[in-house]
Amino acid sequence: MRVEQEIFDELEILSAQEGFWEVVAFFCCKDTFIYSSNGNLDRETFEQVFDKIRLSRTELSTLIGLACKSGFNDKKLELHELKEKSELVWQLLDELHHSFYPSLDIEALSAKFDNKDSDDILDFGEFIRDINPSIDKNHFMREAIFYGGDGVFKHQYRDLAKRRYSLDEDWIEANKGFRISQAVDVISAIEQIQLEKVNTAVSSVEGWPLPHHLPLFSFDVSEVVRQSSLKEGIVRAVIAAFSAKAEEGMRCFKSVDDFNHKNAFPIIKVDEDNFVSFQAYSLWEALYENPFFWFNADDAYKVIASDNRGVFTEDFTAERLALVFGEENVRTNIDIFDGKDKAGEIDVLVTFGEFAIVVQAKSKKLTIEARKGNSKQLEGDFKKAIQDAYDQAHLCSQLLQKEGYVYKDESGNEVNIQSGFKTIFPVCIVSDHFPALSAQARYFLKYQTTDVIKHPYVMDVFLIDMITEILPSPLWVLDYLIKRSDYGDSLFSNHELVILSTYIKQNLYFDENPDLVMLDDDISVDLELVMLARRDGYEGEITPEGLLNAHKNTHIGSIIDDIELSTDYGLQQLGFLFLSLGSDTIDLLNEAISKMVAQFKKDHRNHDISLPFSEGKTGLTIHCNENDNDTASRRLISHCEKRKYTYKAESWVGCCFSPNQGRFRFASYHEGKWVESDEMEKLVADLKPTSSAVSIKDIKKLSFGQKPKITHEKIGRNEPCPCGSGKKYKRCCINP
């Protein structure tokens, strides 16, 4: 197998030939647009994006950079020439990808794998290095960085750029001649012009490929002025900020890891009025990324810009979390004092009942040397951007569990914050898209967990934007954070959007509890379609199919709706339990509640069902009655304690349901280590057994109409009848 540089050099020689720009345009036309025969953007159509034969955006950027090294060339190719050159390019890029992987002795690998226990191979990198000690983690990191896919939607670059640079607008207008909102209009116009050209070209010919592809990516200033309705001066100013001549800055582009000037200046200048831009995504990314470099060139302003960048990261994170948890539960810039000494500081703190989210925000970028796989630089960048933030988050998480500390806001005012949280999530957030961020966290992050402090979650502002957009309430966000944290490093994906999509799609549930799960990018199709409907106005559902709407218009769904905003720990545990159950069990519970309601309307008596869940060492009891709250609560608590003891469970959840209103009334939560008790043994002696293997068929056969056992306790004539009718005893079972 040839080495990477040999393949790159051959690509560069090929790129210098006349007609190569047409080859690049062909691939961009084929691989950056979605084609639909019926005009609908549905799941089947959108899956084209994840076709393995499509070139990745980084591969296309490499081809664009190589084409520019030899200057602009618009020579047309005959169909057979285009086919021949395109096939060769594709083969070279495929070979280039394989050259990223180190050579392995497959026989030795298989033998080693057969002799390993599953618990020993969670770190695949360590396992591979057992076979070939010369391999280090940077072999894998370079591949993940270059081929890892995009964890950001282009509309997020568009929308967050306006928010990110809101404090810098005056500088941008004074020094660049436009405002960010105007740059958005210009880029949107360029994208729309190209889309219309492609649609016109495709509809006017039969078959593929098109006669000529390069004109589809070409435009002039007058076209953008007409499409954007902006003044020509502003349009030219925006284009100037993101454009350069083809050869400009490309001399240093000698390997795939080198700085590609055309990523920073994705509009290629042909002459004063005519331009070429191959990838709309790169334009939006440049809008989000480039101002950082503009500011850095101004010694008088770069410190202010740096401060503004930090403010954006913290404020945006707080705003998004406040949309879910409420402004009253989200605080920024909290200093923790031990006497007069500052012990820690939290950028963003969410407190919600017994849960806390400790966020440390950073605005560091991944350097070019790190992207090349330079071991020291990669780990150094990670330490500055992530490890330092995590260490601070972990320290503050520890302090939150202790008494005696004083909390103050940025104005120096004391803030009342409880101690003794049951669960704390340390979260590290960066403001830029870090390629292969989850992979870097898996390999480099040094962390500690406890029963309270969960596995750290490393993310960027784009992911917090997605989580708070898609998950509708505190219950859902906390449930996701718990489940994502519980999987720790055992979920492998190119980016966290895939894991979020898997939660929505199948509740992060996998058969047979695997030790290691690898997730493909195409899992995120439904999520991407929903975001296009929400952010870009495309027709379609605004909630992805799966967990979020699985319980809609059911008894369990209505209970979740009633409790999803609550800070009460017991209600949250009831919600988490429901969100952890499979569809069959949820169907069973809905059927049972329906039968209990129907039976109550016949006999006006109490009815209940209990189910143990051995894997979680927990269980559920549902009471269906109209007793007064005190009586109903006492009975539910007693029943739950008995069931918890019987099954030696660590926790048990109770739920009281109103048959008349068809709604949830209240919950009861019980947790604690099981201890044998003579008193409890007597209390549960006559308790009916339940089965953990109850099926929906069993529920359909089950009758809730049996006459209750006669109690030997003396009941006052004016007390509520124990049958659950709601009547006084003297007017019910004494005189039926």
Side-chain angles (χ1 to χ4, degrees), residues 608-674:
D608 64 80
I609 183 172
S610 293
L611 290 177
F613 303 104
S614 57
E615 285 189 10
K617 296 183 179 179
T618 188
L620 170 70
T621 292
I622 299 178
H623 277 196
C624 186
N625 62 56
E626 294 292 349
N627 294 152
D628 64 83
N629 286 343
D630 287 343
T631 302
S633 178
R634 285 199 305 270
R635 287 181 173 174
L636 182 61
I637 291 171
S638 175
H639 194 171
C640 289
E641 291 288 353
K642 291 176 182 178
R643 288 298 181 192
K644 179 179 180 297
Y645 182 83
T646 301
Y647 288 98
K648 300 182 179 180
E650 295 177 358
S651 64
W652 202 273
V653 187
C655 170
C656 188
F657 193 86
S658 166
N660 285 339
Q661 297 182 7
R663 294 194 62 179
F664 165 80
R665 293 179 61 189
F666 56 83
S668 172
Y669 181 66
H670 311 261
E671 66 177 0
K673 194 171 182 179
W674 185 86

Side-chain angles (χ1 to χ4, degrees), residues 201-215:
V202 170
S203 62
S204 64
V205 299
E206 294 183 6
W208 184 266
L210 303 174
H212 195 27
H213 302 83
L214 186 56

Side-chain angles (χ1 to χ4, degrees), residues 561-700:
D561 290 344
D562 284 343
I563 66 178
E564 64 181 351
L565 300 177
S566 176
T567 59
D568 180 84
Y569 191 68
L571 293 181
Q572 291 170 338
Q573 295 304 312
L574 176 63
F576 296 148
L577 178 59
F578 284 152
L579 293 179
S580 71
L581 300 178
S583 58
D584 288 346
T585 306
I586 293 293
D587 289 344
L588 182 154
L589 291 172
N590 282 320
E591 180 74 15
I593 292 173
S594 293
K595 289 183 75 71
M596 288 191 288
V597 168
Q599 188 59 42
F600 177 88
K601 291 179 179 178
K602 293 178 182 178
D603 59 19
H604 299 286
R605 294 179 175 176
N606 294 356
H607 301 289
D608 64 80
I609 183 172
S610 293
L611 290 177
F613 303 104
S614 57
E615 285 189 10
K617 296 183 179 179
T618 188
L620 170 70
T621 292
I622 299 178
H623 277 196
C624 186
N625 62 56
E626 294 292 349
N627 294 152
D628 64 83
N629 286 343
D630 287 343
T631 302
S633 178
R634 285 199 305 270
R635 287 181 173 174
L636 182 61
I637 291 171
S638 175
H639 194 171
C640 289
E641 291 288 353
K642 291 176 182 178
R643 288 298 181 192
K644 179 179 180 297
Y645 182 83
T646 301
Y647 288 98
K648 300 182 179 180
E650 295 177 358
S651 64
W652 202 273
V653 187
C655 170
C656 188
F657 193 86
S658 166
N660 285 339
Q661 297 182 7
R663 294 194 62 179
F664 165 80
R665 293 179 61 189
F666 56 83
S668 172
Y669 181 66
H670 311 261
E671 66 177 0
K673 194 171 182 179
W674 185 86
V675 178
E676 188 172 8
S677 164
D678 291 338
E679 181 182 355
M680 288 301 298
E681 290 290 345
K682 293 177 182 178
L683 290 174
V684 303
D686 296 328
L687 195 65
K688 295 182 193 175
T690 64
S691 171
S692 59
V694 179
S695 70
I696 191 69
K697 291 182 179 178
D698 297 323
I699 291 295
K700 288 182 180 296

